[in-house]
Amino acid sequence: MARCTVRYEGRLEAVLPEADRLIMVKADGCVAIHADSGAYKPLNWMNSPNTLVEGVGEWVVTNPKGERLVITMHNVLSETNHSLGMEPGLEKDGVEAQLQVLLSERTDAIQAGMTLVRREYPTDIGPVDLLCKDIDGVTVAVEIKRRGDIDGVEQLTRYLHELNRDARIAPVRGMYVAQEIKAQARTLAERRGIVCVEVDYDELRDRPSNVLRLF
Amino acid sequence: MARCTVRYEGRLEAVLPEADRLIMVKADGCVAIHADSGAYKPLNWMNSPNTLVEGVGEWVVTNPKGERLVITMHNVLSETNHSLGMEPGLEKDGVEAQLQVLLSERTDAIQAGMTLVRREYPTDIGPVDLLCKDIDGVTVAVEIKRRGDIDGVEQLTRYLHELNRDARIAPVRGMYVAQEIKAQARTLAERRGIVCVEVDYDELRDRPSNVLRLF
DNA sequence: GTGTATATCTCGGGG
DNA sequence: CCCCGAGGTATACAC
């Protein structure tokens, strides 16, 4: 904790006038300067890899990209050191990747009779979440989001345009699947002939897989 | 600093197994749990507004949205308290807002003879950065970015579609202005008839304004 | 390394 | 309050 002035020169120029703040230096060398409010982003920071040089009343942090963070210490209020050891890391559940795996094994939850061709189907402009065939044998590109916003519709539209240039699979239609689809996104999607489906994560988890198993 | 286990239930479910970590509580009540590496994002956190209840060996943080963070304290290594007082805040220079102001007064730096109609021109789907008229009197929608990525092209395309529905100003053409325009973005933009212009921030600042002044 | 998509994004502004 | 856009976004992952 210290009364300090901070100057950053890099992707932009920024100055923090003199005030009391928390200065956090982690084992990997990264530096973060926190005020007493405003989670969780620091006022100013420098990511690792970098070099910290402690001078007289001044810390200079530089990184290989040529960015520079200068902390001028006017008054050090307190200093605490701890070595924390191994971090096992955060275990998550419920993000888009999980939703994608669940849906890839339950494509009939998106639309009755639909089967999976491939998850993360690659194209020149990025991977399509799910490529499927519907009950009539028509190819369907499925974009999956936790929150269905407008940018997901744009993304799917780009994929559809790309996929429909491939005569082997065209025509391809689009489906937009999310736990919640925003009104604006739905309007834009439907105007483009994209079918929107909202799914419930918990229901989905309880629903049996429709993938044929060999044993 | 404490040996702790953390559980978050909210927008997703997440667990942090037992380990030593830094637990930061700010004046506004927000909580952040940091490991000794990985700038600057905490492993787990809870933003204000929230309520922190300190129980026996357990802190429970809840917020009005129904999210919940439970910190089980196995061993408190140290505790430090400071009141930091007022934060004057970060002063920035060089971001898009500044670029927009500079360009709005120097529209002829985008294209010779172009004049400003309005900055932040409002539409039903959001504000257009600059609405201008070119030397031939044709309306031009200008999208400004620091880095010209593909999403800026999509954004401008939506604005153009919207603006061209207005018979009073149609036809409207688009210009994409950035300090650096990515190849993919340029290709997509030009395919849609959008003219791309790269500008230099420092040169722009030195260039005189083309806005007519009354005195 | 570049490019693309995600994030409990955070943060700020406008309706 | 939500929606939308910007960010020194950071971060993970595929090519």
Side-chain angles (χ1 to χ4, degrees):
Chain A
M1 319 285 314
R3 186 157 194 84
C4 61
T5 305
V6 185
R7 178 162 182 76
Y8 165 77
E9 295 158 18
R11 279 168 281 184
L12 59 70
E13 325 257 298
V15 174
L16 279 174
E18 183 174 334
D20 291 343
R21 304 193 177 89
L22 180 148
I23 302 167
M24 180 164 57
V25 182
K26 293 191 178 183
D28 63 2
C30 71
V31 180
I33 294 144
H34 282 269
D36 207 358
S37 69
Y40 50 68
K41 191 176 176 176
L43 293 163
N44 226 329
W45 70 94
M46 189 75 105
N47 288 350
S48 101
N50 61 23
T51 313
L52 196 163
V53 177
E54 298 190 26
V56 181
E58 192 176 79
W59 290 7
V60 179
V61 191
T62 49
N63 75 7
K65 285 183 245 168
E67 293 170 294
R68 214 172 123 84
L69 187 74
V70 181
I71 308 172
T72 307
M73 304 287 184
H74 303 288
N75 182 24
V76 177
L77 304 169
S78 82
E79 195 177 335
T80 314
N81 271 280
H82 278 276
S83 187
L84 294 183
M86 258 304 280
E87 172 56 54
L90 187 67
E91 294 157 19
K92 289 185 187 183
D93 184 29
V95 283
E96 189 196 312
Q98 300 262 354
L99 198 59
Q100 194 191 94
V101 172
L102 278 173
L103 283 167
S104 72
E105 296 175 353
R106 291 161 186 81
T107 46
D108 60 349
I110 305 171
Q111 192 162 71
M114 198 155 74
T115 54
L116 181 72
V117 174
R118 185 172 166 187
R119 190 158 76 82
E120 295 282 345
Y121 181 88
T123 74
D124 289 349
I125 55 168
V128 179
D129 286 344
L130 303 181
L131 198 72
C132 300
K133 277 203 186 292
D134 71 13
I135 201 162
D136 302 316
V138 175
T139 305
V140 183
V142 179
E143 177 64 33
I144 299 166
K145 288 267 183 271
R146 195 170 55 80
R147 267 175 45 120
D149 271 317
I150 216 161
D151 56 345
V153 181
E154 299 289 13
Q155 196 181 335
L156 179 52
T157 304
R158 287 201 301 275
Y159 289 145
L160 286 170
H161 187 253
E162 188 68 20
L163 292 168
N164 275 311
R165 294 170 63 173
D166 184 345
R168 292 167 302 170
I169 57 170
V172 183
R173 64 183 183 87
M175 294 189 72
Y176 195 34
V177 181
Q179 289 183 271
E180 181 201 354
I181 296 178
K182 297 282 161 187
Q184 284 92 337
R186 183 183 291 274
T187 305
L188 183 64
E190 286 169 355
R191 200 182 290 174
R192 294 181 179 174
I194 293 165
V195 175
C196 294
V197 179
E198 286 187 343
V199 292
D200 185 283
Y201 185 74
D202 294 325
E203 272 178 29
L204 211 58
R205 201 161 36 188
D206 296 338
R207 186 191 180 104
S209 161
N210 67 338
V211 175
L212 295 174
R213 302 207 180 272
L214 292 177
F215 47 100
Chain B
M1 317 285 313
R3 186 157 193 85
C4 60
T5 305
V6 186
R7 178 162 182 76
Y8 165 76
E9 295 158 19
R11 280 166 280 186
L12 57 71
E13 324 256 297
V15 175
L16 280 174
E18 183 174 336
D20 291 344
R21 304 192 177 90
L22 179 148
I23 303 167
M24 180 165 57
V25 182
K26 293 191 180 183
D28 62 2
C30 72
V31 181
I33 294 143
H34 282 270
D36 206 359
S37 69
Y40 51 69
K41 188 176 176 176
L43 294 162
N44 224 330
W45 70 91
M46 187 76 104
N47 287 352
S48 100
N50 61 22
T51 313
L52 197 163
V53 178
E54 298 192 26
V56 182
E58 193 176 79
W59 291 8
V60 179
V61 191
T62 49
N63 75 7
K65 285 183 244 169
E67 293 170 295
R68 213 174 125 82
L69 187 74
V70 181
I71 308 172
T72 307
M73 304 286 184
H74 303 289
N75 182 23
V76 177
L77 304 170
S78 81
E79 195 177 335
T80 313
N81 272 279
H82 278 277
S83 187
L84 294 183
M86 257 305 279
E87 172 56 52
L90 187 68
E91 294 157 19
K92 288 186 187 182
D93 183 29
V95 284
E96 189 197 312
Q98 301 262 354
L99 199 58
Q100 196 191 92
V101 172
L102 279 173
L103 283 168
S104 72
E105 296 175 351
R106 291 161 185 80
T107 45
D108 60 348
I110 305 171
Q111 193 162 69
M114 197 156 73
T115 54
L116 182 71
V117 174
R118 181 167 171 190
R119 191 157 76 82
E120 295 283 345
Y121 180 88
T123 74
D124 289 349
I125 54 169
V128 179
D129 285 345
L130 302 181
L131 198 71
C132 300
K133 277 204 187 291
D134 70 14
I135 200 162
D136 302 317
V138 175
T139 305
V140 183
V142 179
E143 177 64 33
I144 300 166
K145 288 267 183 269
R146 196 171 53 79
R147 269 175 42 122
D149 272 317
I150 217 161
D151 55 345
V153 181
E154 301 288 13
Q155 195 181 336
L156 179 53
T157 305
R158 287 202 300 278
Y159 289 144
L160 286 170
H161 187 254
E162 189 68 21
L163 292 168
N164 274 311
R165 293 170 64 174
D166 185 346
R168 292 168 300 170
I169 57 171
V172 182
R173 65 183 183 87
M175 294 189 73
Y176 194 36
V177 181
Q179 289 184 270
E180 181 202 354
I181 295 179
K182 297 281 163 186
Q184 284 90 338
R186 183 183 291 274
T187 305
L188 183 64
E190 286 169 355
R191 202 182 290 172
R192 294 181 180 173
I194 293 165
V195 175
C196 295
V197 179
E198 286 187 343
V199 292
D200 185 283
Y201 184 77
D202 294 323
E203 271 178 31
L204 211 57
R205 202 162 33 188
D206 296 338
R207 186 190 179 103
S209 162
N210 67 338
V211 174
L212 295 174
R213 302 205 181 274
L214 293 177
F215 49 99

